[in-house]
Amino acid sequence: MDGSPQRRSALVLYGSETGNALDYAHELGCMIERLHFWASVSHLDAVEPLALNEYTIVVILISTTGQGDLPVNAQRFWKSLLRRKLPADLLQNTQFSTFGLGDSSYPKYNWAARKIHKRLVQLGANELYPRGEADEQHEEGLDASFVPWSTDLRRLLLETFPLEPGLEPIPEETLLEPKWILELAEKDGSHLNRSLPDHAGRETFGVNNSCLSNSATSADDLSNGETARCANGGDGMLKVILQENSRVTSADHWQDVRSLFFSSLLPIAYEPGDVLTIYPHNPKDDVDQLLTAMHWESVADKPLNLVPTSSNPEIRLNQPPPISFDSSALPMTLRKLLSRYLDLNAIPKRSFFSLVAHFTSNEMHKERLIEFTKPEYIDELYDYTTRPRRSILEVLQEFESIKIPWQRVVDVLPELRGRQFSIASGGALKSNAQGNARFELLVAIVKYKTVIKKIRQGVCTRYLATLLPGSELFVKLQKGSLGITQAQAKRPIIMVGPGTGIAPIRSLILERLQWATKVQTDGDDVDDVDHQEGVIAEMVLFFGCRKKDADYFYRNEWEHLQQKMPLKVIPAFSRDQTNKIYVQDLIKEQSELVYRLLHGGGGIVYVCGSSGKMPQSVRIALTEVFKRHGNMHQGDAEAFLQAIEKEGRYKQETW
């Protein structure tokens, strides 16, 4: 294959927050490589816009986060596209396509892909293939859109860039060479640095190496920033200590919900809506089971290096390692990789089945594995993997003939990614008695029974549930998407936060209380905040849970805060009576109040919690409010809601 970018090359770029776009980018890169393109896969921030002209084709896969925002590892690229005085023909030699990953429960569905696509065209780029869009709310998941889109893209590439006579696409039966492999480290450790060539540091999909990714700053703007970062472990990680891990739901409640308090070693500022990324560990039993199943016991604890398979420096530069880890992890071993860096419990994707089919000599197993990779079997793949939430480990145990070479494990297993949790602390609770940062999380421990009657547990929440006070973790603090500022304190707000969605809302309420306190200069008691006219505006909280005595989070706190500030809490207990009552029902009951705050008061709406039906039900309830009190028809009510969104007065953070 010719490695010259000018001849037959492909650049596959991704912007990813949770890893879905990254996974699809690697799958697409392999597909394009089989068509004899020199394919490079990287996150968007790794390239400059002008570099797109150097490749035969460019494909961008990007997810949308928050309020129509781009993922962190795509924002620098986006800003570079918006620079002034860029010529209209800047990308005239670029042929491209885009694929968006979104969630239709958000108002700005797939905006990131649409914005990038539109801007590339404005700069002269040529659309090679129409943009594709996937919806997480689809009953068959993202694959329902990605599989047919990528299949048609492959067909177009073969038609538009035909292969030379006698040359055929590399068949699926041929195993592609991995870009990186593991090898035993030399005893003297002389080439230890080969493990981390120019890519050192654990990153969350391109987050800059700062413990305060993209926004958060320490007190006094972290004047000792570099010292602080090193003191916390370096490489963008923030060291925290678990102070408390307590269950907040009643003992007889079906779900275990935990309140976790962490403290840091530094004073670090953050805002309501910001998130803490936790990096879980796999259970020891799972690691031991995989080591045994793959017959890796003999190398499990030997020092390893992660090395590139190509000596070409250009290829090495454009193919970063599939996983990243901080220097404290060295020396790396297979057991450590499986415990902390590779995901054993992820739901396997089509690309996984394609790879492991090469590592079995059982023809029946091989045939079945290959079937799962074919577009016509997408329904069967969904029924086998996504519907019962079957994990990679379980697949390898069921197809026991699969024996993955340990050298290729980072090419087969996905990275164990950090999980983001909205911070529940705000105001005075953001720091401890020593003035150092303090973080509170409200975490629902994921544990349920699937359609095949198997118990499933969330990797991260299971890890958190077992942590004892005094445990030390390295986490990342990231900017949230709610865009809350003190300038909004005089605007009334309507907050909708069922379940653990109350976490960022509690942070906001506590922050507004502190803002009001700071405004007072005469030493008045904080309890008089509600009498300070104009300090903070009216607040209405619609909270939803099952039962008042089981999962009414922060119940006592709300009673206290309603005496101290202009806050009205309206709870919906869905199971405390025969007829179920949800937050959307109470919004309609309080329609006059809601309309007054939004229409006449210029209020802001915050919707936080589970994605799916809840956000859409809230939108429907709001349009009913506008119709009832604004004398609007359906179309006018929907237009009014859209106008609020454009003004930045409707913000949603769901997961």
Side-chain angles (χ1 to χ4, degrees):
M1 189 185 304
D2 190 343
S4 172
Q6 284 76 23
R7 297 198 57 183
R8 188 181 178 89
S9 59
L11 179 61
V12 181
L13 297 170
Y14 62 86
S16 187
E17 196 73 35
T18 62
N20 288 322
L22 180 149
D23 289 338
Y24 282 135
H26 281 292
E27 181 176 338
L28 204 60
C30 290
M31 182 270 281
I32 293 174
E33 187 175 340
R34 291 186 181 277
L35 303 183
H36 297 278
F37 284 84
W38 182 84
S40 176
V41 180
S42 185
H43 62 83
L44 280 157
D45 280 356
V47 301
E48 292 293 334
L50 198 59
L52 273 56
N53 286 325
E54 300 174 7
Y55 294 83
T56 309
I57 59 171
V58 175
V59 184
I60 297 175
L61 301 97
I62 186 167
S63 61
T64 298
T65 67
Q67 318 309 311
D69 303 320
L70 279 74
V72 172
N73 60 359
Q75 291 178 3
R76 188 181 66 81
F77 176 81
W78 175 242
K79 290 178 182 177
S80 65
L81 288 180
L82 299 178
R83 285 195 294 248
R84 294 182 179 181
K85 299 182 180 179
L86 289 179
D89 60 352
L90 178 74
L91 300 178
Q92 61 179 344
N93 295 321
T94 297
Q95 297 193 77
F96 81 101
S97 185
T98 55
F99 187 83
L101 292 80
D103 184 332
S104 59
S105 70
Y106 276 79
K108 297 182 178 179
Y109 170 64
N110 265 317
W111 269 42
R114 297 175 187 180
K115 288 192 293 189
I116 281 190
H117 195 104
K118 180 179 179 180
R119 183 56 179 158
L120 293 178
V121 171
Q122 290 174 343
L123 294 174
N126 304 290
E127 182 186 76
L128 172 69
Y129 184 67
R131 181 182 69 249
E133 293 185 351
D135 183 5
E136 286 189 4
Q137 297 299 322
H138 193 286
E139 60 181 8
E140 293 180 357
L142 300 171
D143 270 358
S145 299
F146 177 76
V147 171
W149 181 86
S150 59
T151 301
D152 288 344
L153 175 62
R154 181 184 185 276
R155 186 180 303 113
L156 176 83
L157 292 177
L158 283 172
E159 294 173 355
T160 309
F161 306 98
L163 298 174
E164 296 178 1
L167 188 64
E168 296 293 330
I170 301 172
E172 293 292 334
E173 293 74 24
T174 300
L175 184 61
L176 295 176
E177 181 183 40
K179 304 300 186 292
W180 295 80
I181 61 170
L182 292 171
E183 66 176 25
L184 292 174
E186 295 177 4
K187 291 183 179 180
D188 61 2
S190 59
H191 67 284
L192 185 64
N193 288 336
R194 292 176 64 193
S195 300
L196 298 166
D198 302 319
H199 298 285
R202 183 164 190 172
E203 303 234 348
T204 309
F205 308 114
V207 173
N208 294 330
N209 280 338
S210 165
C211 62
L212 303 169
S213 303
N214 193 41
S215 69
T217 56
S218 76
D220 300 322
D221 293 327
L222 262 186
S223 56
N224 296 316
E226 286 304 308
T227 302
R229 189 163 65 86
C230 294
N232 279 295
D235 299 327
M237 307 301 288
L238 173 66
K239 183 179 180 180
V240 297
I241 301 171
L242 179 63
Q243 301 295 338
E244 183 179 328
N245 185 352
S246 58
R247 176 167 177 152
V248 293
T249 45
S250 62
D252 60 348
H253 188 58
W254 70 279
Q255 187 170 44
D256 179 1
V257 178
R258 299 294 181 94
S259 175
L260 298 103
F261 297 177
F262 297 94
S263 63
S264 77
L265 303 176
L266 293 170
I268 301 171
Y270 57 89
E271 305 299 334
D274 289 354
V275 298
L276 209 62
T277 300
I278 306 288
Y279 296 93
H281 294 180
N282 285 311
K284 181 180 182 299
D285 288 348
D286 290 357
V287 174
D288 291 341
Q289 288 178 39
L290 184 59
L291 288 171
T292 300
M294 294 296 107
H295 300 164
W296 290 339
E297 298 98 326
S298 62
V299 295
D301 299 299
K302 293 184 178 180
L304 303 174
N305 287 328
L306 179 61
V307 298
T309 56
S310 174
S311 59
N312 185 328
E314 182 180 6
I315 294 178
R316 290 180 63 178
L317 180 64
N318 287 282
Q319 298 291 352
I323 62 169
S324 51
F325 43 83
D326 57 79
S327 56
S328 67
L330 300 177
M332 184 55 67
T333 65
L334 190 57
R335 189 184 303 277
K336 194 179 295 184
L337 273 172
L338 297 176
S339 298
R340 295 168 52 184
Y341 297 99
L342 296 175
D343 199 341
L344 316 184
N345 290 289
I347 298 174
K349 297 185 180 295
R350 287 194 316 148
S351 56
F352 171 82
F353 290 98
S354 178
L355 273 172
V356 297
H358 294 283
F359 305 129
T360 176
S361 57
N362 184 309
E363 291 302 319
M364 186 179 299
H365 283 181
K366 184 186 293 286
E367 181 180 352
R368 184 57 172 159
L369 292 166
I370 291 174
E371 281 183 354
F372 284 137
T373 70
K374 297 180 178 180
E376 59 266 32
Y377 288 95
I378 187 173
D379 291 342
E380 286 195 33
L381 176 63
Y382 179 84
D383 288 340
Y384 179 70
T385 57
T386 305
R387 190 164 177 263
R389 315 300 292 179
R390 187 174 266 108
S391 70
I392 285 175
L393 177 59
E394 288 174 322
V395 171
L396 293 175
Q397 290 171 331
E398 292 175 10
F399 289 85
E400 57 186 15
S401 65
I402 297 173
K403 301 301 174 193
I404 304 169
W406 61 265
Q407 295 89 340
R408 297 191 64 137
V409 65
V410 298
D411 189 46
V412 178
L413 301 183
E415 184 173 15
L416 182 57
R417 292 154 186 151
R419 271 60 165 182
Q420 294 182 338
F421 296 93
S422 293
I423 300 171
S425 45
L429 295 184
K430 294 196 298 183
S431 60
N432 57 23
Q434 292 74 39
N436 295 331
R438 178 180 181 276
F439 306 96
E440 292 187 34
L441 301 181
L442 185 67
V443 178
I445 306 303
V446 178
K447 186 176 182 179
Y448 59 95
K449 188 176 291 186
T450 70
V451 293
I452 57 175
K453 307 303 181 184
K454 281 200 172 185
I455 299 295
R456 296 283 185 245
Q457 297 185 66
V459 174
C460 192
T461 60
R462 175 168 50 168
Y463 166 69
L464 288 174
T466 63
L467 289 181
L468 299 175
S471 300
E472 295 183 353
L473 290 78
F474 285 95
V475 301
K476 264 191 176 169
L477 176 62
Q478 284 185 261
K479 180 71 174 176
S481 63
L482 294 180
I484 296 168
T485 66
Q486 187 170 349
Q488 300 168 347
K490 293 185 178 181
R491 281 182 177 269
I493 55 175
I494 293 173
M495 302 161 286
V496 184
T500 56
I502 196 63
I505 287 175
R506 176 182 183 248
S507 178
L508 170 58
I509 292 171
L510 294 175
E511 196 78 1
R512 284 170 76 100
L513 176 62
Q514 186 176 58
W515 290 340
T517 306
K518 287 182 177 179
V519 169
Q520 295 178 335
T521 58
D522 57 3
D524 288 345
D525 189 271
V526 176
D527 287 342
D528 291 330
V529 167
D530 59 324
H531 301 301
Q532 301 297 316
E533 189 170 342
V535 174
I536 48 176
E538 193 171 352
M539 296 174 284
V540 178
L541 166 60
F542 292 97
F543 173 74
C545 64
R546 290 203 170 197
K547 296 184 177 182
K548 182 177 182 180
D549 295 326
D551 55 342
Y552 188 4
F553 305 132
Y554 309 115
R555 173 181 175 180
N556 295 334
E557 192 170 303
W558 301 137
E559 293 175 359
H560 179 60
L561 286 173
Q562 287 183 96
Q563 303 301 316
K564 297 174 65 174
M565 57 196 304
L567 170 66
K568 182 176 184 179
V569 180
I570 307 173
F573 307 116
S574 63
R575 302 299 195 277
D576 273 347
Q577 59 284 312
T578 305
N579 58 313
K580 296 178 181 178
I581 299 176
Y582 298 105
V583 287
Q584 59 266 27
D585 301 316
L586 297 186
I587 288 173
K588 287 185 280 190
E589 280 187 15
Q590 298 289 329
S591 58
E592 185 176 353
L593 171 62
V594 171
Y595 184 77
R596 175 174 61 81
L597 296 183
L598 293 182
H599 187 268
I604 304 172
V605 179
Y606 296 97
V607 181
C608 302
S610 176
S611 63
K613 294 181 179 179
M614 184 274 292
Q616 188 59 33
S617 297
V618 169
R619 292 178 64 85
I620 293 173
L622 288 174
T623 57
E624 289 298 317
V625 169
F626 302 149
K627 288 166 60 178
R628 183 182 306 174
H629 295 281
N631 295 319
M632 302 179 189
H633 296 295
Q634 181 68 30
D636 294 332
E638 292 175 355
F640 183 66
L641 182 56
Q642 291 172 1
I644 288 177
E645 293 169 2
K646 290 181 180 179
E647 294 171 10
R649 295 200 289 126
Y650 185 97
K651 302 185 180 185
Q652 180 175 318
E653 186 63 61
T654 55
W655 49 86

